[in-house]
């Protein structure tokens, strides 16, 4: 007979790594707070939204997403979903306080199958501000790995989403001709460095009234 297994207790150093995380920011939860979020944007409390998500993998270049999340200014909100979120969801992103409401700076929308929620949130914000989806202070930074992400990517293109960033490298099926078409019509760009991409995004960001 095998001796019973004992569960090792984490050391104090290891336990410091784990943080309490608030999840469940699917479309219904966020849309119910739309009034507060819209007012926070109009009054300058929230300057920009970043949707950072997608697949994860073993490549060292994927530290880009952790570094980018760390560099994003405190007056910006990060929406995230899928396995890519595990690169930075353990960090303490804090809150943006507005009119007595604490808005988490990191809104975890779920897994890759919840991409619909993130899309609906973007559409709801577009409707609330009465602007096109590409006129929102919203930037999409995708991490690519698995083939099923193609469906999400094609959905975003179908919705007319432009100026998205994708990395750490382009999918293998993207031939030079396909890439030329997507870049020309949708402004797709490969990631460069967190510093350069963040500067480019915030320089072009504009506040909605």
């Amino acid at each position: 007979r095998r001796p019973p297994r004992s569960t090792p207790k984490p050391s104090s150093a290891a336990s410091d790594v784990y943080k309490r995380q608030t999840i469940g920011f699917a479309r219904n939860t966020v849309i119910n707070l739309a009034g507060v979020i819209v007012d926070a944007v109009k009054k300058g409390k929230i300057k920009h939204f970043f949707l950072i998500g997608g697949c994860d993998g073993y490549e060292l270049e994927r530290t880009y997403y952790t570094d980018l999340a760390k560099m994003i200014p405190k007056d910006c909100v990060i929406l995230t979903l899928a396995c890519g979120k595990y690169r930075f969801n353990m960090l303490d992103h804090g809150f943006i306080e507005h009119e007595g409401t604490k808005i988490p700076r990191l809104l975890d929308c779920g897994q890759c199958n919840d991409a619909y929620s993130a899309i609906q949130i973007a559409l709801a914000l577009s409707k609330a501000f009465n602007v096109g989806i590409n006129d929102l202070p919203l930037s999409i930074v995708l991490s690519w790995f698995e083939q099923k992400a193609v469906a999400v990517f094609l959905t975003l293109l179908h919705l007319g989403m432009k100026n998205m960033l994708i990395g750490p490298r382009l999918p293998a099926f993207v031939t030079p001709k396909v890439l030329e078409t997507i870049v020309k019509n949708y402004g797709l760009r490969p990631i460069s460095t967190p510093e350069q991409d963040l500067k480019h995004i915030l320089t072009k960001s504009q506040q909605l009234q």
Side-chain angles (χ1 to χ4, degrees):
R1 296 178 61 186
R2 293 181 179 178
R5 293 181 177 181
S6 59
T7 303
K9 294 183 178 180
S11 67
S12 58
S15 62
D16 289 341
V17 175
Y18 299 97
K19 305 289 184 183
R20 184 180 296 273
Q21 300 173 17
T22 303
I23 60 175
F25 291 102
R27 63 187 185 280
N28 291 331
T29 301
V30 178
I31 291 174
N32 285 337
L33 292 172
V36 176
I37 294 174
V38 168
D39 192 57
V41 172
K42 289 182 176 180
K43 294 182 178 177
K45 289 291 188 68
I46 297 177
K47 296 292 180 60
H48 201 84
F49 295 91
F50 289 80
L51 174 55
I52 309 176
C55 305
D56 197 11
Y58 58 85
E59 300 95 334
L60 291 176
E61 301 100 310
R62 291 183 184 273
T63 57
Y64 166 96
Y65 299 95
T66 308
D67 296 336
L68 178 64
K70 288 179 178 179
M71 294 178 187
I72 289 175
K74 301 299 183 184
D75 55 3
C76 299
V77 171
I78 304 171
L79 291 90
T80 190
L81 73 160
C83 295
K85 67 184 179 184
Y86 297 117
R87 289 277 170 177
F88 52 84
N89 70 337
M90 79 297 293
L91 303 174
D92 185 5
H93 297 277
F95 299 84
I96 294 175
E97 295 196 25
H98 179 65
E99 303 292 340
T101 300
K102 297 176 71 174
I103 304 170
R105 287 191 60 246
L106 181 71
L107 301 178
D108 186 338
C109 300
Q111 286 297 336
C112 52
N113 295 330
D114 297 302
Y116 178 79
S117 276
I119 291 171
Q120 289 301 311
I121 291 170
L123 291 174
L125 288 173
S126 174
K127 183 178 179 180
F129 285 110
N130 195 30
V131 298
I133 198 166
N134 289 303
D135 296 319
L136 289 171
L138 168 67
S139 297
I140 298 179
V141 187
L142 300 174
S143 54
W144 161 263
F145 187 74
E146 293 196 16
Q147 291 84 348
K148 63 183 176 181
V150 174
V152 177
F153 182 58
L154 292 177
T155 301
L156 293 171
L157 294 181
H158 174 72
L159 290 170
M161 293 296 303
K162 295 184 177 181
N163 303 314
M164 293 182 287
L165 290 165
I166 189 169
R169 56 180 66 99
L170 293 173
F173 69 85
V174 178
T175 63
K177 191 67 177 177
V178 170
L179 179 60
E180 179 184 347
T181 300
I182 297 176
V183 170
K184 179 181 178 180
N185 295 324
Y186 297 96
L188 181 71
R189 294 190 298 119
I191 60 173
S192 56
T193 67
E195 295 86 354
Q196 290 178 353
D197 290 339
L198 185 60
K199 181 179 180 180
H200 179 83
I201 289 170
L202 295 179
T203 299
K204 291 184 174 297
S205 179
Q206 55 185 357
Q207 185 176 345
L208 297 176
Q209 300 297 327

